[in-house]
Amino acid sequence: MADNLTPDDHKRLFTLLSPAYLWLTVAIFLPLSAMLFFSFVSDMPGGDTAWHLTLENYREFVSNPTYFTLLRKSLLLATTVTLICLLIGFPCALVLAKSIKGRSREALFLLVILPFWSNSLVRIFSWAIVLRGNGVLELGLNAVLPFDVRLNLMFTTTAIIIGLVHSYLPYVILTSYLALQAISDDVIDAARTMGASPFTILRRLLIPLSATGLIAGATLVFVPIVGSFMEPRILGGRVGTYYGTVIEDQFVAVYNWPLGAALSFLLLGVVLLILGLASPALKRGAV
């Protein structure tokens, strides 16, 4: 189709797409280019200290095994949270798309997107109030159970996972919901008429046909969690040291921007590598 476009059509398309190209240049490529440059310098340009181009920031990652350990820990955390979001989010999306109609669906839909209406810091500190010792959760359980419960989950990996699942679960629900909504009810009725059990319909019909939504949701959850730092730092305390918190420390506490930029680009490379290795499976799921 592009071969059939005339020079005037190309000019018109370029004019229409110019705002998008300008936005991509200013908001994405320019900051990334600046950060990539910082990752190859010995000190911040413009200061009192002389600087020069170097690969030392990337050598630091290779020579210090702590960074690799934290990166592996962050990848494990992202995988765990993504799997939990899929296990919780897909059934919720299925119920919203196929079982509930009318205003009840709208009300539940608002509850799903409610976390987006509040600041992320407010959400995290709210979980801190709930999960701490003698907090809302512990007091609630002691009010209904006949025995005392000591449930201090603050500063644990469990608290980090709960906070991250709460923050990113809506992405899986929304993408799965859109994919499930595209499946006609007539297809499900036909399968049911032919004797397929609910589990067979789920396994051989609903999950394969909604794979694009599941994959999109998993990607939207996995990628940002690998570099997350707020939830691990606030809810995890000492156990909340992850690759993202180390990057934040380099920018905010240590003021070693070149090392922070190098660690950030190494993280970006690892995420792109994982997505590249998973691309065959992603393409099969999108078919």
Side-chain angles (χ1 to χ4, degrees):
M1 180 178 176
D3 295 337
N4 298 328
L5 296 178
T6 65
D8 290 338
D9 292 332
H10 283 290
K11 290 179 182 177
R12 197 176 300 111
L13 280 176
F14 180 77
T15 303
L16 292 174
L17 292 174
S18 291
Y21 289 145
L22 181 63
W23 169 255
L24 289 174
T25 302
V26 173
I28 297 178
F29 294 119
L30 194 59
L32 281 179
S33 300
M35 196 62 71
L36 181 63
F37 172 72
F38 288 152
S39 71
F40 286 105
V41 297
S42 59
D43 206 328
M44 283 294 291
D48 297 332
T49 308
W51 61 273
H52 60 273
L53 295 175
T54 180
L55 292 173
E56 191 58 35
N57 299 314
Y58 290 94
R59 285 199 199 99
E60 177 69 18
F61 175 83
V62 179
S63 61
N64 191 341
T66 303
Y67 295 122
F68 181 78
T69 302
L70 292 176
L71 179 59
R72 186 176 57 186
K73 186 180 174 185
S74 295
L75 291 173
L76 180 61
L77 176 70
T79 304
T80 303
V81 174
T82 302
L83 289 176
I84 294 174
C85 286
L86 290 175
L87 290 175
I88 298 175
F90 185 77
C92 293
L94 184 59
V95 171
L96 277 173
K98 299 301 179 185
S99 300
I100 300 177
K101 308 289 182 185
R103 291 190 174 182
S104 299
R105 176 192 288 178
E106 296 175 1
L108 290 173
F109 213 84
L110 284 176
L111 291 178
V112 170
I113 64 174
L114 196 59
F116 292 145
W117 294 359
S118 60
N119 185 277
S120 57
L121 278 176
V122 174
R123 295 199 301 268
I124 297 171
F125 280 109
S126 298
W127 275 115
I129 296 172
V130 173
L131 298 175
R132 68 184 175 86
N134 204 25
V136 175
L137 180 60
E138 190 174 300
L139 292 175
L141 289 175
N142 286 327
V144 296
L145 295 176
F147 50 87
D148 286 340
V149 175
R150 292 290 176 263
L151 198 66
N152 185 7
L153 293 177
M154 271 299 290
F155 308 132
T156 63
T157 305
T158 303
I160 299 171
I161 292 174
I162 290 173
L164 288 171
V165 168
H166 176 242
S167 296
Y168 291 95
L169 180 62
Y171 292 108
V172 175
I173 295 178
L174 292 176
T175 55
S176 300
Y177 172 80
L178 292 175
L180 289 167
Q181 273 288 77
I183 302 174
S184 173
D185 291 338
D186 295 336
V187 177
I188 300 173
D189 292 338
R192 191 179 294 119
T193 303
M194 295 176 70
S197 66
F199 179 71
T200 302
I201 295 174
L202 175 68
R203 183 172 61 88
R204 304 191 61 177
L205 195 65
L206 294 176
I207 292 179
L209 291 179
S210 61
T212 52
L214 282 170
I215 292 171
T219 305
L220 289 174
V221 172
F222 180 84
V223 173
I225 288 180
V226 177
S228 63
F229 58 91
M230 278 199 304
E231 290 88 350
R233 187 178 295 282
I234 296 172
L235 297 176
R238 289 185 177 179
V239 303
T241 302
Y242 286 86
Y243 196 81
T245 58
V246 171
I247 292 176
E248 189 213 9
D249 285 339
Q250 298 303 320
F251 284 104
V252 178
V254 185
Y255 299 110
N256 190 348
W257 283 40
L259 180 57
L263 295 177
S264 301
F265 269 92
L266 286 169
L267 176 62
L268 177 63
V270 170
V271 171
L272 292 177
L273 178 63
I274 292 173
L275 293 178
L277 293 175
S279 61
L282 299 180
K283 289 178 181 177
R284 280 197 300 272
V287 172

